[in-house]
Amino acid sequence: MQPILQVKDLQVSFQVRGGEVKAVRGVNFEVGKGEAVAIVGESGSGKSVTAQTIMRLIPSPPSIIKSGEIIFQGNDLTRKTDKEMEAIRGKDIGMIFQDPMTSLNPTIKVGKQITEGLIKHQNLSAKEAKEQGIEMLKLVGIPNAESRFNQYPHEFSGGMRQRVMIAIALACRPSLLIADEPTTALDVTIQAQILNVMKDMQKKFGTSIILITHDLGVVADMCDRVVVMYAGKVVETGTKWEIFQNPQHPYTRGLLRSMPRLDQKKNEKLIPIIGTPPDLIKPPAGCGFCARCDEAMRICEQVDPEVTQLSDTHMSRCWLLHPMAQEVKSS
Amino acid sequence: MSKNLIEVEGLSKHFDLGKGRILKAVSDLNFQIREGETLGMVGESGCGKSTAGRTILRLYEPTAGAVRFNGTDITKLSGGKMKAFRRDMQMIFQDPYASLNPRFTVTDIIGEALDIHNMAGSRAERKKRVEELLDMVGLNPDHATRYPHEFSGGQRQRIGIARALAVNPKFIIADEPISALDVSIQAQVVNLLQDLQGRLGLTYLFIAHDLSMVKHISDRVAVMYLGKMVELADSEELYANPRHPYTQALLSAIPVPDPEVEANKERIVLKGELPSPINPPSGCPFRTRCPIATEKCALEVPALVEVQKGHFAACHYA
Amino acid sequence: MEQVDEKNVVEHLKPENFQKIGVDEKQAEIIQRESLSAWRDSWERLKSNKFAMTGLTVLILIVIMAIIGPMISPHNYYSNDLYNTNQPPSADHWFGTDDLGRDMFVRTWMGARISLLVGVAAALIDLFIGVIYGGIMGYFGGRVDAIMNKFSEVLYSIPYLLVTILLLVVLEPSLWTIILAIGITGWINMSWIVRGEIMQLKTREYVLASRSMGAGSARLLFRHLIPNAMGPIIVTLTLTVPNAIFSEAFLSFLGLGVQAPIASWGSMINDALTGWMYYPWRMLFPAFFISLTMLAFNIFGDGLRDALDPKLKK
């Protein structure tokens, strides 16, 4: 499968008083055509910074792309000028954000916000754009789309606003949609609606999706492949079956174990991951997860592990997968 | 069976928004919490669960109804007596960033309750108690002189827990204590709450929107919708055998972190959105989104009745 | 942790490298960054702002000179010397003399004392009346707020100059009359700022937490709410103080303020008006210092606002 997006050795830092926060420390992953890839990780893992860097939405300074390439449809996005990026954003890559309250402009009618992109990127006439805009609103499941078209964002509820955001993001049929925690601010029953809309859209337009989330339930429901990030690095990637049924990194295992499940027996204790993520102003010398890992070995504090390829699709970054670790364990 | 520690009777809280508009945040709640038990309270935003918690602690004055703590109706108590009761009932808040005064050190945050109730004789005694509490919640006592913004979200939430424990309460309302935290941290806080319950014999009202976590921590679970309680049952029973159509939809909407379950799941996706609590539907509050609603539901308000021993539901067809 | 040569370790991996060390729960919670209070953080930010620090330095120098200036000169501010009137600056009279032969250097710094005294008085009035009045409005809200707010609006609608002139009908013009006039109306702006701030802060969860522990109104107001409103309060002060200083100078210039022989920058400029073409230094020194003080206050206040509330800074 030809990937439409390849992120290669991406490193992003933030300049703050007192030093440099190394938010993304060498990230590699790719997204295939029509594929839904989840990036999971906790706050500070670098997942949102990675997504926003792909869109080039973080102001620089304070952020600096230290190294790496973002190859989208054969072009390196890190080398594009701001002007060139403007032509790509909205047209080839769409984005939805966590907070549907603040990501719509409150002073502009919803319809205008949808047609703006259509007129700008696809050279449609105002009338054609309006027709397509209303069509989009219908597709994302907004009732009375014709009259809703002329309303302002505050007249929509949170879930409806998120539908509008999806309509805007997909209006120009981008080949990639980046969704940054699109359902985190919504209630579960509304979340279920929004996830359905996203799945429908993906099927209809064949859009590739990068879904940034911390909710492994949403991942299991929506995505084909999973990228697990921790402390600015990708610690494990694989298909969702590999990640959920055969996790190879202690962090992934810990995440899965620390979540309660509805089918779990009562009084079964959760197994938390202890401690807090490292401060990336001074990243640890060895593995970033070492200080919280109950399987940590001496080597883990000394040297950061390399990638171990476990299958065509499954890789993990952990010293436990080194042949010698197995030997020591069994002896 | 142990005795009831908290008895809530007909509790309502309405906010007057002016111009004749009244927001009925909570209407006619009736339930008990037994000593040493954890009652979970779930519902979506705007269902009144946080207002209910705050009204029980009299952070909001109730519009109607009574809250009995060990038999005493605290809604009728005057200032001085109420202050004494506040030692027995504490609260843990949702937002670990907003719930700690940014200008206080950790010692002062935790020590404040000791000052208010004159529970520390000397500065040394106060310091010792604060360090003891920090240790109890698994924080390094050396960090007592630091400020809240230096801690991570999970650590701040522990500071909030230590503050609540300072006065040796019997009853704690945990108002969405983990929803602002990362997954890997949530389990830490939940385990801590469970440990403390075992060690100190605490009674909890655990308010949350995360149903799987509520099921995990609670003995019984109450489901709220639009200011009303629609179902109440033992947690195992509620999850295995939900009777109210809203509870059924809520349970099916939770994405489970298991692709196999997700692949085979038939999800009930509710239509529409939560009606406004200023202008709630007539009859059953859920009828506008309910897949099985009939004419009767628009006319009659279903009462919360015992449909099975210990299992209450407010639905004509439960 | 000891430094290790990564390359060496990787090239010569030994079984002992793979010994399990597990995890230390206490160690995992240690905070590494240096402890920093919110105030220290603001101070660090302020220190890195060169403009603001220049403003602060100028203000400190003016304060020092107001204290020691009159002492280091052999002259005093009131003695006439009719043989040495209107002298230009010289080794004997550093800033020259005025039309009565009084030493301008000493008079300038005496004027600074008056200005600073007015500034301090305005600040105290702002803090004691404005902050408390605003705090009570914001904290209690409802009817208390409505009545107190109406009262302050009525006071605010009376022009400051009118208040002063009305006061002068009953009282002698003096420094204290000016301070009284400031006391009547000067705190209103502050009270509105504090009111708005407290209304926002009182819904914060830490305030609820304190209430749920049984804290009374006084504790909530003075321990939680007002300290957290300190940023806007200080910024407002940096605007009130130069305003008050300027008002005093202006009223003294009109002859409604301090009376001879006491020197104020305003009255000195007024005195200098008659011969400013011939004796420009008589106007230049007080005018320069009043401008310098205003400027210093403004740039310092600006920097302070940025330092206390980084959100405002783009």
Side-chain angles (χ1 to χ4, degrees):
Chain A
M1 189 166 44
Q2 185 61 30
I4 71 159
L5 179 81
Q6 279 176 294
V7 175
K8 290 183 186 167
D9 190 38
L10 185 67
Q11 297 191 24
V12 184
S13 288
F14 287 89
Q15 216 63 53
V16 296
R17 209 183 48 241
E20 182 186 318
V21 175
K22 301 175 188 72
V24 175
R25 306 187 293 151
V27 160
N28 291 287
F29 70 92
E30 50 185 58
V31 181
K33 191 159 171 26
E35 190 183 33
V37 174
I39 304 182
V40 299
E42 46 204 288
S43 35
S45 64
K47 59 185 195 302
S48 280
V49 176
T50 304
Q52 291 179 16
T53 306
I54 296 172
M55 284 295 261
R56 293 266 305 279
L57 283 176
I58 335 184
S60 166
S63 92
I64 315 156
I65 300 178
K66 304 283 279 191
S67 76
E69 296 176 353
I70 300 168
I71 311 288
F72 174 71
Q73 294 177 332
N75 296 310
D76 185 356
L77 296 186
T78 61
R79 288 162 199 278
K80 295 272 184 220
T81 62
D82 286 347
K83 196 105 199 138
E84 289 169 319
M85 272 316 289
E86 264 174 41
I88 292 172
R89 266 184 234 135
K91 179 164 172 277
D92 299 310
I93 309 179
M95 188 151 186
I96 4 181
F97 300 90
Q98 172 173 350
D99 191 351
M101 292 306 222
T102 52
S103 43
L104 287 170
N105 186 336
T107 61
I108 300 178
K109 285 178 182 167
V110 159
K112 185 136 191 269
Q113 299 192 50
I114 299 177
T115 53
E116 223 170 22
L118 286 168
I119 293 168
K120 183 175 157 200
H121 295 305
Q122 303 203 326
N123 294 320
L124 295 185
S125 70
K127 192 164 161 276
E128 287 166 325
K130 184 175 175 183
E131 273 165 24
Q132 273 208 28
I134 292 176
E135 193 54 34
M136 270 325 282
L137 286 180
K138 281 184 186 157
L139 277 178
V140 295
I142 291 182
N144 311 324
E146 282 87 356
S147 58
R148 294 295 243 171
F149 190 82
N150 287 318
Q151 288 183 333
Y152 288 93
H154 69 89
E155 297 172 80
F156 289 72
S157 68
M160 283 295 159
R161 257 183 282 221
Q162 202 57 303
R163 286 170 195 258
V164 171
M165 273 308 296
I166 296 175
I168 294 173
L170 294 179
C172 295
R173 310 279 193 273
S175 39
L176 177 65
L177 174 70
I178 300 177
D180 190 354
E181 306 259 7
T183 58
T184 305
L186 305 175
D187 286 313
V188 268
T189 58
I190 308 298
Q191 166 174 293
Q193 295 172 352
I194 295 296
L195 292 180
N196 273 1
V197 171
M198 285 178 60
K199 278 191 275 190
D200 286 351
M201 296 294 111
Q202 191 196 7
K203 238 182 259 162
K204 197 163 251 133
F205 303 136
T207 318
S208 306
I209 295 181
I210 297 178
L211 178 73
I212 318 278
T213 183
H214 64 269
D215 187 335
L216 291 170
V218 173
V219 174
D221 181 22
M222 267 292 304
C223 296
D224 308 306
R225 273 194 320 118
V226 186
V227 175
V228 183
M229 282 190 69
Y230 188 82
K233 295 200 173 184
V234 174
V235 295
E236 187 165 7
T237 62
T239 65
K240 74 173 162 193
W241 303 97
E242 285 165 335
I243 296 292
F244 282 96
Q245 297 182 338
N246 186 23
Q248 287 300 314
H249 196 281
Y251 175 65
T252 317
R253 279 199 289 270
L255 266 189
L256 289 165
R257 269 189 319 206
S258 63
M259 293 179 65
R261 294 177 41 165
L262 286 176
D263 49 10
Q264 205 166 30
K265 278 199 201 65
K266 191 152 174 61
N267 300 327
E268 204 173 303
K269 274 227 130 175
L270 298 177
I271 306 165
I273 304 176
I274 65 162
T276 16
D279 191 340
L280 291 181
I281 206 161
K282 219 172 88 189
C287 168
F289 188 59
C290 176
R292 300 174 71 192
C293 179
D294 55 3
E295 296 172 82
M297 302 172 294
R298 286 199 51 133
I299 184 84
C300 304
E301 337 182 277
Q302 297 166 338
V303 186
D304 201 22
E306 288 298 313
V307 169
T308 307
Q309 202 72 39
L310 298 152
S311 78
D312 283 352
T313 48
H314 196 178
M315 79 85 187
S316 174
R317 225 178 230 276
C318 179
W319 280 114
L320 285 170
L321 301 169
H322 193 276
M324 218 179 263
Q326 309 295 331
E327 274 168 45
V328 175
K329 214 176 191 177
S330 52
S331 68
Chain B
M1 192 180 285
S2 49
K3 68 180 175 88
N4 290 335
L5 184 68
I6 301 281
E7 290 167 323
V8 174
E9 271 180 32
L11 191 70
S12 295
K13 175 65 194 172
H14 298 172
F15 293 98
D16 190 348
L17 303 179
K19 294 179 192 159
R21 294 187 311 159
I22 290 181
L23 185 138
K24 295 180 180 165
V26 168
S27 298
D28 195 26
L29 286 190
N30 291 286
F31 62 93
Q32 296 83 38
I33 307 174
R34 296 175 202 125
E35 197 154 25
E37 128 178 288
T38 300
L39 178 70
M41 191 177 258
V42 292
E44 300 178 272
S45 44
C47 72
K49 55 190 192 301
S50 283
T51 307
R54 289 176 181 183
T55 312
I56 290 169
L57 280 196
R58 259 185 89 187
L59 290 176
Y60 299 151
E61 287 302 324
T63 309
V67 176
R68 266 186 267 285
F69 180 88
N70 259 337
T72 314
D73 182 0
I74 59 163
T75 60
K76 304 281 187 305
L77 292 180
S78 61
K81 282 201 175 126
M82 189 61 215
K83 187 175 161 188
F85 262 94
R86 292 212 176 277
R87 277 179 61 171
D88 290 326
M89 303 184 296
Q90 281 294 309
M91 189 148 191
I92 300 167
F93 292 87
Q94 170 177 4
D95 188 342
Y97 294 83
S99 62
L100 307 176
N101 187 335
R103 304 235 179 250
F104 277 25
T105 61
V106 169
T107 307
D108 287 333
I109 289 169
I110 300 174
E112 187 179 20
L114 302 175
D115 300 343
I116 291 172
H117 296 285
N118 299 318
M119 289 170 73
S122 61
R123 283 201 75 80
E125 211 175 297
R126 181 173 183 258
K127 184 165 173 274
K128 194 168 149 268
R129 175 78 177 132
V130 168
E131 285 175 359
E132 194 179 290
L133 285 160
L134 283 176
D135 190 57
M136 201 187 278
V137 296
L139 286 175
N140 189 335
D142 297 342
H143 293 337
T145 54
R146 287 179 176 260
Y147 291 85
H149 67 96
E150 302 172 48
F151 293 84
S152 68
Q155 291 171 328
R156 287 188 223 201
Q157 202 52 296
R158 289 163 190 242
I159 297 171
I161 294 172
R163 166 176 63 188
L165 293 176
V167 289
N168 299 319
K170 297 190 178 71
F171 173 56
I172 291 182
I173 296 185
D175 185 3
E176 305 236 23
I178 54 166
S179 44
L181 303 178
D182 277 310
V183 181
S184 79
I185 309 294
Q186 290 186 350
Q188 292 178 3
V189 172
V190 166
N191 279 3
L192 175 65
L193 287 173
Q194 286 182 314
D195 282 348
L196 292 169
Q197 182 168 41
R199 272 163 68 187
L200 307 170
L202 297 167
T203 304
Y204 289 140
L205 175 62
F206 189 90
I207 301 171
H209 64 261
D210 178 343
L211 284 94
S212 28
M213 205 50 107
V214 168
K215 184 203 170 208
H216 173 78
I217 197 172
S218 311
D219 300 299
R220 288 187 305 146
V221 175
V223 182
M224 301 275 295
Y225 187 81
L226 219 60
K228 293 211 165 86
M229 192 177 283
V230 296
E231 190 157 5
L232 172 66
D234 277 358
S235 60
E236 294 286 324
E237 161 73 11
L238 185 90
Y239 285 82
N241 185 21
R243 300 296 281 269
H244 197 283
Y246 176 63
T247 315
Q248 290 164 0
L250 206 54
L251 284 172
S252 102
I254 315 169
V256 179
D258 183 341
E260 202 147 335
V261 176
E262 282 301 317
N264 300 318
K265 187 149 99 180
E266 203 47 57
R267 181 162 286 158
I268 309 172
V269 177
L270 286 179
K271 286 192 291 285
E273 317 229 346
L274 202 69
S276 157
I278 298 168
N279 190 13
S282 66
C284 172
F286 184 57
R287 70 172 168 86
T288 51
R289 299 171 75 194
C290 182
I292 59 165
T294 62
E295 215 163 289
K296 184 180 178 192
C297 302
L299 299 172
E300 273 177 58
V301 183
L304 189 69
V305 291
E306 196 160 13
V307 288
Q308 200 178 314
K309 189 165 168 34
H311 191 156
F312 299 82
C315 174
H316 296 306
Y317 303 100
Chain C
M1 209 197 316
E2 78 271 40
Q3 270 299 327
V4 277
D5 178 5
E6 283 196 23
K7 226 172 166 172
N8 192 32
V9 174
V10 176
E11 275 164 18
H12 305 94
L13 281 175
K14 292 189 283 286
E16 55 259 40
N17 288 127
F18 289 92
Q19 237 145 45
K20 192 172 164 179
I21 52 169
V23 58
D24 180 357
E25 188 151 356
K26 283 275 171 300
Q27 210 57 42
E29 296 286 358
I30 294 275
I31 301 172
Q32 286 180 351
R33 279 195 205 189
E34 186 197 352
S35 179
L36 203 62
S37 76
W39 291 118
R40 269 270 313 277
D41 190 49
S42 299
W43 171 236
E44 298 281 328
R45 251 199 304 272
L46 186 67
K47 264 202 313 202
S48 63
N49 183 336
K50 286 201 189 69
F51 276 113
M53 289 313 280
T54 312
L56 182 62
T57 313
V58 168
L59 288 177
I60 290 172
L61 286 177
I62 289 173
V63 171
I64 292 174
M65 283 313 287
I67 297 167
I68 64 164
M71 294 184 227
I72 58 175
S73 163
H75 305 283
N76 62 42
Y77 70 95
Y78 50 83
S79 295
N80 300 351
D81 181 356
L82 296 177
Y83 296 103
N84 281 312
T85 57
N86 296 326
Q87 294 292 311
S90 66
D92 186 25
H93 296 286
W94 297 327
F95 286 1
T97 60
D98 68 3
D99 57 346
L100 295 173
R102 296 176 295 200
D103 183 70
M104 284 289 291
F105 180 80
V106 177
R107 284 182 72 76
T108 300
W109 297 118
M110 287 309 286
R113 286 185 180 183
I114 298 284
S115 292
L116 292 171
L117 184 66
V118 169
V120 169
L124 289 177
I125 288 163
D126 243 13
L127 279 176
F128 281 95
I129 306 181
V131 170
I132 293 176
Y133 195 90
I136 291 174
M137 282 197 288
Y139 179 76
F140 289 101
R143 188 163 298 167
V144 175
D145 173 46
I147 293 169
M148 287 176 77
N149 203 9
K150 269 284 162 314
F151 177 70
S152 61
E153 274 168 9
V154 168
L155 267 189
Y156 193 75
S157 63
I158 310 171
Y160 172 71
L161 210 54
L162 188 66
V163 174
T164 317
I165 291 167
L166 285 176
L167 276 177
L168 289 174
V169 175
V170 254
L171 301 167
E172 292 287 302
S174 79
L175 183 60
W176 302 110
T177 323
I178 293 176
I179 291 177
L180 191 62
I182 293 172
I184 289 175
T185 56
W187 50 271
I188 293 173
N189 196 31
M190 174 66 93
S191 79
W192 288 345
I193 300 247
V194 172
R195 170 179 176 265
E197 200 62 24
I198 299 286
M199 283 193 158
Q200 260 183 36
L201 289 173
K202 72 177 178 183
T203 57
R204 293 279 163 92
E205 285 189 342
Y206 61 81
V207 179
L208 274 182
S210 189
R211 270 181 64 203
S212 76
M213 289 185 291
S217 300
R219 170 179 278 274
L220 291 177
L221 203 50
F222 293 106
R223 292 276 286 149
H224 289 285
L225 294 169
I226 291 180
N228 276 292
M230 234 32 218
I233 290 175
I234 290 173
V235 170
T236 311
L237 278 183
T238 63
L239 297 173
T240 331
V241 170
N243 264 344
I245 292 176
F246 187 76
S247 300
E248 180 276 327
F250 180 61
L251 288 170
S252 294
F253 173 78
L254 293 181
L256 298 172
V258 298
Q259 299 298 303
I262 300 171
S264 143
W265 286 339
S267 62
M268 287 164 76
I269 294 173
N270 187 19
D271 292 345
L273 267 183
T274 44
W276 71 273
M277 299 264 276
Y278 308 101
Y279 322 114
W281 61 87
R282 287 183 49 199
M283 179 173 287
L284 209 65
F285 285 108
F288 172 73
F289 281 106
I290 195 162
S291 309
L292 187 68
T293 310
M294 294 288 140
L295 184 68
F297 257 110
N298 279 327
I299 58 176
F300 173 63
D302 236 30
L304 203 57
R305 191 187 57 211
D306 289 347
L308 287 170
D309 189 1
K311 273 171 295 183
L312 285 176
K313 211 169 70 180
K314 279 280 161 343

